[in-house]
Amino acid sequence: MLRTTLAGLRAHRLRLALTSLAIALGVGFIAGTFVLTDTIEKGFTQTFSAAADKIDVAVLPLPSGERGRVPTVPEATLEKIRAVDGVADAQGLVRGTSALIGKDGKAAGDYPTAGISLPEGPLNRTVIVSGAAPVTATQAVLDEGTARTRGFKIGDTITVLDHRNAQHRFTLVGLFDVGLDQEIGYTGAVGYTTATAREMTGQQGFRAIDVAAAEGVTQERLRDAVAAAVGADYQVLTGERFAADMAKANGADSGFLTMGLLLFGAVAMFVAALVIYNTFNILVAQRTREMALLRCIGATRGQVFGSILLESAVVGLLSSVAGLLLGYGMGAGALSVLAAFDAPLPVTTAALTPRTIALGLVIGLAVTIGAALLPARSATRVAPIAALRSQVEEQTFRAGLVRVIVAALFLISGVGTTVAGLTMEHGETALLVVMAGSTLVFLGVLTLGPVIVKPLSAFAGWVPAKLSGVPGRLAVENSRRNPKRSATTTVALTVGVTLMTVISVVTVTARATYTKQLDEQFPVDYMVQTQERDSSLPRTIAEELRTRPELTSVVAFRETLAAVGKGAGTGGGKHEVGTFTAAADFAPKLDTGSLGLLKPGTALVADHLAERFGVGAGDRITVRTAKAGTVALTVVGVSDGDSGLPGVTVPEREFDRYFSGVGDSRVMVNYRDGIDPDRALKVVEAATRPYPTAKVISSTEVRGQFDESLDMMLMVITGLLGLAVLISLLGIANTLSLSVHERTRESALLRALGLTRSQLRHMLSVEALVLGLIGALVGVVLGIVFGWVAAQTMSDDVVFRLPAPQILAFVALSGLAGVLAAVLPARRAARASIVDSLASG
């Protein structure tokens, strides 16, 4: 039996080629994911190990319990460490904000660049890629990404703001690599000498202290000595432990990436399993006489079963090896693409680890053999008498009671789980629950696939049958004659189309919902605010804007943090207390009350604070102010969370009486009807030009950034799901190829009765078209329903949208792809000799 199985594989190498390709693609995606993430983790480890070679002990402050406060190590602690026996050198690392001014005179980026120190000597962690490190108070370096995007080069003079927003000029003497520092990789950074960094950032303490050991002193011994000197208020780690912790922390990001990519890999392998199952199912049906003959000459049921599994194992092993090679190429290619986009990743070669090799082989073999189990079991039921039949009889499908019960259980449990998710509080948990419910519903539809494929074939093939005459009608009948096979073939495509439709529906709905919320929260044409959201703007900006005839509405907000409580106490913690200078058309959204009720001694309270303190109109709250002490205010209204008002809003004059020297936190501007938007923008920018950190944001720009991020996400996810669609199309092509081989005598009889070669090709193309449309129609319907359900977990006010053009494109492309998948099988069938085909039956 072993020799017979291997001989069969050698004789029919092309028969399993498409199945092998499906397996290779699925294994390749999973292997490529591990190659990508393993390489990133390897680079992290190498990079931080290099840092460990420089650092023998790292001293870090314990986490702060206060929100927004970054803990530091004071100067006195650094001096204690330097005095410890066994310390060769110790350097403190300074980090704060230090806004770089671009060549346009405005602060570069949406967030201020970081200001960091570059210590002299071997303890300098920063890698200078060109030029040199700063050695004087007038020299600075930039990260190479910021230098490139802002057009600076070595030798230029750069302008930077200190912590008081005073301008300072430095000579750019070098560029450095941000490495794996995600914070400065996002904001960019300016590097100085340690003393200059402290002056520019205003930081009195250090983010960390790096310590080098004297010759002959081990890291463990130095750690114990430093820990004894600084006490229990700090975390003291050896260089090796510090490198391992940092690598692990960065590895968490790659772990999340791995999980996300593996989800798409699981979808690809599921689709590949359907293709494998269908392929072996057809092969077993085609080889009924062959297996019956084997039974006649003494083969047992177990040997027949084993031969099918052996065949699947050989195909799975060879395909998995090919998939590993493909995955290595995919992983290396992904690293090249990420490097081209300047992703903050370590530079290292792609790594194919023994774990990846083992997983790829095991997954490929397990999926292939698992998918072949049912066909192999069917092969054992072939009776020896079947060898005497001249033709293989097609089995007539009947929907059994077990199938109906199983489908009903899936559907009922799926609908129940989905409804439960919809009644939960909006968020990630609700989304996961409705996803689980949707999966159960999908399995129910999958179970009913052979039942619904006949009516769907009639529906999808109605127009092609009318337009194509006899070949079209024959094609529709062929798609209906074996509903179980057709359902298994189309479900692979259904998976891909369903997921792409869900993503499209959720994306377009999220865009519409966000636009509505933006219109409510950002009901203006322009907003002026600072780079650092907790700093303020001079009031002169809003005053100047109110004098411009091009503008119709200028609303300025002022906010500060103050202790807020209920009744006589102020134990509720610090919250935003603020006011606004209103325009005539300013009408923030209020749940209760009105702006007209806002008088001295009163306040509007945001809904979240009203709920927290249990207050409403007529109740009292207390605010601890800077100038007037603790004041009691009467609540006259509750503001909606989307109103843009602070937690506690008081009248403008009262706010100035309570707090002094508070500038505007943001200014909202609308221009008059008929005014050119570009002209209005220039007016606003002119008012903010003297203030480098004042940023002008337009509603169009905000929407554009959100749309761009959504489009990018949609493109990436569609590309990943495209692999599943490609595998499903291979399945359609494989099914048609095997079906053509199975129907060789039938096709010859049709040719003998007058069907031309072109009509035969047309018949098979229409059959593939119908199969593609069935998969697309089911996928689109399920995708719309699942997309609507997923969208309901976003928020209360979801604006549901149906991306009709994209959905129609999915249907059309699925049908077209089915036709393309039929090109080679149809060509092969049309070229077959009528006489030889009749004789082979």
Side-chain angles (χ1 to χ4, degrees), residues 284-644:
V284 168
Q286 289 177 355
R287 294 156 60 187
T288 299
R289 291 183 65 191
E290 174 187 329
M291 293 174 186
L293 283 171
L294 289 173
R295 293 291 310 283
C296 283
I297 61 176
T300 64
R301 289 178 182 268
Q303 287 177 316
V304 172
F305 182 82
S307 70
I308 299 296
L309 291 189
L310 176 61
E311 187 172 333
S312 68
V314 172
V315 173
L317 179 62
L318 296 177
S319 304
S320 299
V321 171
L324 286 172
L325 296 176
L326 178 63
Y328 182 80
M330 291 169 67
L335 288 170
S336 300
V337 171
L338 291 172
F341 283 96
D342 296 318
L345 296 176
V347 179
T348 185
T349 56
L352 187 62
T353 62
R355 181 198 64 176
T356 302
I357 296 174
L359 279 174
L361 295 177
V362 169
I363 291 173
L365 279 171
V367 170
T368 308
I369 295 175
L373 283 175
L374 287 179
R377 183 169 172 266
S378 300
T380 63
R381 297 178 178 179
V382 177
I385 194 68
L388 303 177
R389 296 172 185 161
S390 60
Q391 269 192 300
V392 177
E393 295 181 2
E394 286 194 9
Q395 296 180 352
T396 303
F397 172 78
R398 289 180 297 178
L401 180 61
V402 174
R403 180 182 294 273
V404 173
I405 293 175
V406 171
L409 289 174
F410 274 131
L411 291 172
I412 293 171
S413 58
V415 171
T417 304
T418 303
V419 171
L422 291 175
T423 59
M424 296 172 64
E425 183 179 353
H426 301 299
E428 184 178 345
T429 303
L431 178 61
L432 292 175
V433 172
V434 299
M435 285 175 60
S438 299
T439 302
L440 292 172
V441 171
F442 184 85
L443 292 175
V445 174
L446 174 63
T447 307
L448 288 176
V451 178
I452 63 177
V453 78
K454 276 195 172 185
L456 285 175
S457 297
F459 175 75
W462 184 76
V463 173
K466 290 291 185 182
L467 296 177
S468 304
V470 173
R473 292 195 295 273
L474 288 172
V476 173
E477 288 302 318
N478 284 337
S479 65
R480 301 178 64 188
R481 66 196 292 182
N482 195 330
K484 190 174 181 180
R485 178 190 302 171
S486 296
T488 310
T489 302
T490 58
V491 76
L493 181 61
T494 300
V495 172
V497 174
T498 299
L499 291 173
M500 287 199 294
T501 304
V502 168
I503 296 301
S504 298
V505 169
V506 170
T507 301
V508 73
T509 299
R511 182 178 283 118
T513 302
Y514 176 78
T515 300
K516 178 189 174 185
Q517 292 175 349
L518 184 63
D519 289 339
E520 294 175 350
Q521 299 177 22
F522 199 106
V524 291
D525 297 316
Y526 303 106
M527 180 180 289
V528 182
Q529 61 185 24
T530 60
Q531 253 192 343
E532 296 182 83
R533 305 299 185 253
D534 56 351
S535 61
S536 61
L537 298 163
R539 296 190 185 185
T540 53
I541 294 177
E543 292 169 358
E544 181 180 347
L545 290 174
R546 291 189 188 98
T547 65
R548 297 308 302 254
E550 297 88 351
L551 308 178
T552 183
S553 173
V554 178
V555 180
F557 291 86
R558 288 181 286 284
E559 298 167 358
T560 188
L561 288 176
V564 179
K566 181 182 177 182
T570 53
K574 287 191 174 184
H575 301 279
E576 286 183 345
V577 178
T579 188
F580 55 86
T581 303
D585 60 350
F586 181 61
K589 188 176 180 182
L590 303 179
D591 292 339
T592 61
S594 68
L595 288 182
L597 298 175
L598 194 60
K599 305 292 183 183
T602 66
L604 296 173
V605 179
D607 51 7
H608 66 277
L609 283 186
E611 182 178 354
R612 175 174 179 174
F613 293 133
V615 297
D619 293 326
R620 307 272 283 180
I621 61 169
T622 56
V623 177
R624 183 177 296 142
T625 71
K627 295 173 62 178
T630 300
V631 297
L633 304 174
T634 301
V635 177
V636 294
V638 176
S639 60
D640 184 86
D642 296 331
S643 66

Side-chain angles (χ1 to χ4, degrees), residues 41 44-45 48 241-255:
E41 290 181 3
F44 286 162
T45 303
F48 287 113
R241 172 67 185 277
F242 174 71
D245 288 352
M246 292 295 288
K248 183 179 180 180
N250 281 274
D253 291 336
S254 65

Side-chain angles (χ1 to χ4, degrees), residues 126-165:
T126 309
V127 179
I128 302 294
V129 293
S130 60
V135 293
T136 70
T138 60
Q139 294 178 338
V141 293
L142 277 178
D143 68 280
E144 54 184 346
T146 300
R148 182 178 58 256
T149 56
R150 301 300 168 184
F152 291 111
K153 61 183 182 299
I154 295 176
D156 287 348
T157 298
I158 61 174
T159 302
V160 190
L161 300 179
D162 65 14
H163 64 284
R164 298 185 183 90
N165 283 338

Side-chain angles (χ1 to χ4, degrees), residues 803-824:
Q806 294 180 27
I807 290 173
L808 291 175
F810 290 155
V811 176
L813 289 175
S814 298
L816 177 62
V819 172
L820 293 176
V823 170
L824 291 179

